[in-house]
Amino acid sequence: MKRSRLTLRQTIGWAGFALVGLLVVAVGVWRGDILRAALDPQVPFQTYDPPPAPDYGRSDSWALLEARTPGAGPAAVFFVHSTTYDGGREWNGPIDDREADAYLKRVVIPNYAGPFERSGAVSAPRYRQASLYTRLTLRADARDARAFAYRDIAAAFDAFVAAHPTGPIVLAGVEQGGELIDWLVRERIAPDAALRSRLVAAYLMDTIVAVDALNPAVPGCASRGQVGCVVGFSQVGDDDNGAAGRRLRRALVWNEKGRLVELTGRAALCVNPVTGSPSGELVPARRHLGAANATGLEWGVRPAFLDRLVTTQCRGGLLRHSFPKSEAFKEVGDWADRRKARQYNLFYADIEADVQARLGAWQARNPNG
């Protein structure tokens, strides 16, 4: 019995189906590479013309400016936000990008600036942040873009200090913001005895810092009663050894010349936010004060906490933690959003308690401050 031959139309149809199938498979396999390539500005940073610099004398250059909730403490808090700008045409995003600013207000400020609102007046500058693409590659152009963002943070800090010439100060940053605070501490705080005496603590959340690069004048915090020190940690799931290895291999830290270089096996700082110390002990979930998903909340609205949720341990320079089972702490959003700071804060209440304790210790030592 002879098989019937396919007509030309049928042949073209089946070929089309096959091509579509191949495209679907290719997109599934190389989707990350395709999306990453779409964010590449495709221009050398040396010839790149960045967006206009912010004017920190204008209120619209600040996402938060002297934001204070009723009953807040006496500290002035300088908060630097994480990456919210995806990229594409720009190595460094303009401060008025609508999507980036919406993400900042909806996700980053309530989850990461929120733990500091009880400590005092919080100010958070908008700045020409390095794009998400710069955190997905180790190219020299990307490193230059990340270092470029610091000049805005330095200018914002000058305005912040001018507005707060006395009294306790708290510095805080998450992800890219923590990276920039790290250099701010080394370049501006550590050499200045007057500023050092005012520092309650610097909080570098979801940030890798080389221990041997810390200035002895502003060391890593050893206990919760210590002031003038750094609380730094980069968190990863307890059993996610692949992610832990990638985090350390791809980590960039500041060298003494203010350039970003690879960590290359150096010890990374881990101060456990649950205990306020760098101890490598396995901290049981019963000591965890509370995680929160504050996404979408207005400033000053207190989120609901889930306490006793995760175990923690400083191990290998990273904060290893168990994963909560609650739906409130699942990864959400598109491909780009899942590569930014998490849209919840597992250690919201712990960080809040830590800064309150250190602020109390600072006030005890500076009764006239």
Side-chain angles (χ1 to χ4, degrees), residues 72-195:
V77 182
F78 185 74
F79 175 83
V80 182
H81 68 77
S82 59
T83 306
T84 62
Y85 176 72
D86 292 353
R89 293 181 304 169
E90 306 281 357
W91 283 108
N92 293 80
I95 67 166
D96 58 357
D97 183 86
R98 259 191 232 175
E99 290 186 8
D101 201 53
Y103 194 88
L104 169 62
K105 291 178 179 177
R106 184 176 64 87
V107 175
V108 181
I109 285 177
N111 282 301
Y112 295 101
F116 301 94
E117 67 180 13
R118 288 191 162 189
S119 301
V122 183
S123 295
R126 293 185 170 93
Y127 65 102
R128 290 171 293 178
Q129 60 178 289
S131 70
L132 177 63
Y133 176 74
T134 68
R135 309 197 73 80
L136 304 176
T137 176
L138 297 178
R139 286 171 52 187
D141 289 323
R143 301 185 197 204
D144 289 344
R146 287 165 67 170
F148 175 86
Y150 176 74
R151 64 184 64 190
D152 286 356
I153 298 308
F157 185 68
D158 285 341
F160 171 80
V161 170
H164 300 280
T166 61
I169 57 174
V170 174
L171 307 181
V174 57
E175 192 235 27
Q176 176 174 178
E179 179 178 283
L180 297 170
I181 289 289
D182 177 28
W183 185 244
L184 184 72
V185 168
R186 290 173 59 184
E187 198 239 0
R188 301 291 297 279
I189 304 294
D192 188 325
L195 285 175

Side-chain angles (χ1 to χ4, degrees), residues 251-270:
L252 295 178
V253 295
W254 300 99
N255 68 10
E256 66 281 358
K257 296 180 180 179
R259 296 190 62 81
L260 288 163
V261 298
E262 293 175 51
L263 185 66
T264 56
R266 296 154 69 190
L269 177 67
C270 178

Side-chain angles (χ1 to χ4, degrees), residues 134 156 267 286 359:
T134 68
R286 61 182 170 78
L359 179 56

Side-chain angles (χ1 to χ4, degrees), residues 186-358:
R186 290 173 59 184
E187 198 239 0
R188 301 291 297 279
I189 304 294
D192 188 325
L195 285 175
R196 282 202 317 271
S197 69
R198 298 175 58 198
L199 180 65
V200 174
Y203 291 83
L204 313 183
M205 300 169 280
D206 205 11
T207 305
I208 289 183
V209 179
V211 172
D212 61 10
L214 291 170
N215 190 305
V218 188
C221 294
S223 67
R224 185 154 277 174
Q226 186 179 358
V227 299
C229 56
V230 177
V231 176
F233 61 89
S234 180
Q235 64 200 65
V236 69
D238 186 55
D239 298 324
D240 201 344
N241 294 322
R246 288 191 298 274
R247 184 79 56 89
L248 293 171
R249 284 194 304 272
R250 299 180 65 82
L252 295 178
V253 295
W254 300 99
N255 68 10
E256 66 281 358
K257 296 180 180 179
R259 296 190 62 81
L260 288 163
V261 298
E262 293 175 51
L263 185 66
T264 56
R266 296 154 69 190
L269 177 67
C270 178
V271 176
N272 192 326
V274 176
T275 64
S277 77
S279 169
E281 66 175 311
L282 179 64
V283 182
R286 61 182 170 78
R287 295 180 63 183
H288 174 237
L289 295 181
N293 185 332
T295 295
L297 293 184
E298 295 290 331
W299 182 256
V301 175
R302 196 155 174 78
F305 294 119
L306 288 179
D307 62 358
R308 302 176 176 233
L309 195 63
V310 295
T311 60
T312 53
Q313 183 180 29
C314 282
R315 192 167 80 239
L318 297 172
L319 179 66
R320 307 298 290 264
H321 62 84
S322 58
F323 273 108
K325 296 179 181 179
S326 170
E327 288 296 319
F329 306 110
K330 299 295 184 183
E331 297 295 334
V332 296
D334 60 20
W335 179 90
D337 288 351
R338 292 196 300 274
R339 281 152 182 82
K340 298 171 186 170
R342 298 180 185 186
Q343 297 181 49
Y344 52 85
N345 189 339
L346 286 181
F347 307 106
Y348 190 118
D350 303 277
I351 294 167
E352 182 180 70
D354 189 278
V355 68
Q356 292 282 74
R358 295 186 198 279

